[in-house]
Amino acid sequence: MRKNDIIMAITSENVEHVCKCVVWLGNEKIAVSGHMAITHHNQDAKYLAYQF
């Protein structure tokens, strides 16, 4: 993952949490579960996460 990548939950125990997004603003590398989608882009990350 890179800074400003969007992380989206693709499954959840609660329907309200499916497709919830966060923006990774850190510089460290992280790991996410297989139930997450990561979006690389060149747009305003916070705006995209808000729109999703």
Side-chain angles (χ1 to χ4, degrees):
M1 291 193 41
R2 298 182 292 229
K3 186 173 184 174
N4 291 322
D5 282 353
I6 296 176
I7 306 166
M8 180 184 298
I10 56 175
T11 63
S12 176
E13 294 178 3
N14 306 327
V15 70
E16 298 87 21
H17 296 147
V18 175
C19 296
K20 289 272 183 158
C21 297
V22 296
V23 176
W24 177 246
L25 297 175
N27 292 318
E28 303 84 24
K29 292 184 178 182
I30 63 168
V32 296
S33 76
H35 299 280
M36 306 296 280
I38 301 169
T39 305
H40 305 292
H41 55 86
N42 60 359
Q43 306 296 314
D44 183 329
K46 291 180 184 178
Y47 176 77
L48 285 179
Y50 175 77
Q51 290 300 314
F52 286 147

